[in-house]
Amino acid sequence: MSGSRVSAAERTGASAAFGSARAPRSARGQIIDSIVGTPPTSVSADLVAENPENPREDYDEDYITSLAQNMREVGQIQAATVMTRLAFIVSHPEHKESIPADREYVAIDGHCRLRAARQAGIDLRITVDDSPAGTREDLLAAALSANHFRKNLTPIEEARAIEALVEYHGSAAAVVSVLGGVTNDSWISTRRALLKLPTEIQQKVADKEVPIAIARKAGSLSTHEEQRSYVETKMAERATEQAEKPKPVRGRAAAAAKRLAPPAEPAQGTPPTAPASTTATAPASSVPEPRGETGAAVDSEPVIDWTDPDSIASAILERCTPAVVEGIAQKLLGSL
């Protein structure tokens, strides 16, 4: 007998299970997992919605109670089969409104176990099967094309997802077709250009520290050095412009300025206001007076020059909350 010890792997030969366990996840697979998600083995029962197509309408409550006690004491023997909410909506778009937004999964098989887990206050063991919705690439495309999913992605996540779809389908034109017309070649090229940037600039784009308009142009440059230099120059110019802009007056300062401002001249044809009577009168209503027949307001709004970016920006900043301003900016950048 030879002195060298033979391992179990050498005696039994290569195993498909061991081989797949050692195989690294592909780059495209990692991107899809980051967008679509990797399936867990158990979740809170409150995250699972019941299937609106489930033919069962009546449940034996005594059985559910007994099952809940058994699952609490012994455990759940058989996992429930579920689909992710995204996959279920892709394959059953007619039920989009009936699946609550706070549910991440939809039960396919195991509704009694789902109800028992809720009653027992324990997590539900699940097996995720999204195959009825198509491939993982199909789900990735669905996640990008649906606005209510896209808003949760950073521009860099969108770029990586687009790159994965281009690799899978072969061309940007094919991806535009797959996404159902919600994007165009320009949007796709803009996002893909972001992946040519150095990692630190990509992170700043994801953190909204560098605008997409600047990052997109930087991505068209040849080297990382040129890209970094371009971003630094443009961000410095942007900071200078922001510092030179007059700060909008808000809050108490705006109210005080309005009180100190001279009264507006009455419009032509409008009779002068009669002097206030010295006799006691009822308190004036806090409701503003309606406009006169000429349509002129007492306090006229400043005229906005819609061809001047500074005028437009000032008008938006003076009238909108920071959250609304951010939303407007995202809409404008997304349309580039």
Side-chain angles (χ1 to χ4, degrees):
M1 178 181 294
S2 172
S4 61
R5 185 172 181 177
V6 180
S7 67
E10 292 172 328
R11 291 197 305 270
T12 59
S15 166
F18 284 124
S20 62
R22 288 193 299 267
R25 191 83 166 106
S26 67
R28 189 174 80 238
Q30 293 176 17
I31 291 171
I32 295 175
D33 288 345
S34 69
I35 304 298
V36 178
T38 52
T41 57
S42 65
V43 296
S44 168
D46 293 334
L47 295 178
V48 183
E50 296 191 10
N51 190 341
E53 295 193 343
N54 180 28
R56 182 192 294 272
E57 296 181 357
D58 298 322
Y59 290 85
D60 185 339
E61 294 302 328
D62 291 338
Y63 170 73
I64 297 295
T65 300
S66 175
L67 181 59
Q69 180 178 355
N70 183 267
M71 289 172 61
R72 188 187 301 111
E73 296 175 353
V74 179
Q76 181 182 342
I77 306 302
Q78 184 179 2
T81 302
V82 302
M83 292 179 71
T84 60
R85 182 179 186 274
L86 172 61
F88 186 83
I89 291 175
V90 169
S91 52
H92 302 281
E94 68 276 12
H95 293 308
K96 175 181 176 181
E97 302 301 329
S98 61
I99 306 299
D102 59 350
R103 300 294 194 272
E104 298 181 9
Y105 303 92
V106 179
I108 304 301
D109 175 61
H111 286 77
C112 289
R113 279 161 278 169
L114 170 60
R115 292 194 172 204
R118 287 175 180 166
Q119 189 176 119
I122 61 175
D123 286 351
L124 179 72
R125 286 183 54 229
I126 61 172
T127 299
V128 180
D129 181 10
D130 286 342
S131 59
T135 65
R136 299 275 284 173
E137 284 77 12
D138 294 332
L139 292 181
L140 179 60
L144 283 174
S145 62
N147 288 331
H148 57 288
F149 288 106
R150 183 188 298 175
K151 68 183 181 182
N152 294 324
L153 304 179
T154 69
I156 299 301
E157 289 173 331
E158 289 177 343
R160 290 169 180 162
I162 287 293
E163 194 66 27
L165 288 176
V166 170
E167 179 185 345
Y168 180 74
H169 292 285
S171 69
V175 174
V176 172
S177 176
V178 167
L179 295 180
V182 298
T183 62
N184 52 41
D185 290 333
S186 176
W187 186 87
I188 287 181
S189 63
T190 296
R191 289 301 185 271
R192 295 182 72 190
L194 300 179
L195 299 182
K196 299 177 182 178
L197 297 170
T199 303
E200 69 273 14
I201 297 181
Q202 290 188 28
Q203 186 60 51
K204 289 181 178 179
V205 173
D207 294 338
K208 301 180 181 179
E209 296 178 10
V210 173
I212 293 180
I214 294 177
R216 176 192 61 184
K217 293 180 181 178
S220 65
L221 301 176
S222 302
T223 66
H224 283 179
E225 289 74 15
E226 292 176 320
Q227 293 167 353
R228 291 188 181 95
S229 176
Y230 179 86
V231 171
E232 290 175 1
T233 300
K234 289 300 178 181
M235 291 303 295
E237 293 175 357
R238 181 184 175 89
T240 301
E241 292 174 0
Q242 293 292 336
E244 293 176 349
K245 286 183 179 179
K247 301 297 182 182
V249 181
R250 299 190 183 96
R252 294 182 179 178
K258 188 173 182 179
R259 286 195 300 269
L260 296 175
E265 293 293 332
Q268 291 184 357
T270 304
T273 305
S277 172
T278 56
T279 59
T281 58
S285 170
S286 60
V287 179
E289 290 294 328
R291 296 176 182 267
E293 294 181 358
T294 61
V298 176
D299 293 325
S300 59
E301 290 286 339
V303 177
I304 301 174
D305 182 0
W306 293 101
T307 63
D308 179 19
D310 290 340
S311 178
I312 297 171
S314 296
I316 292 174
L317 291 173
E318 289 174 1
R319 291 165 175 77
C320 303
T321 64
V324 173
V325 172
E326 183 178 354
I328 293 173
Q330 290 178 352
K331 288 285 186 184
L332 292 175
L333 291 174
S335 66
L336 295 175

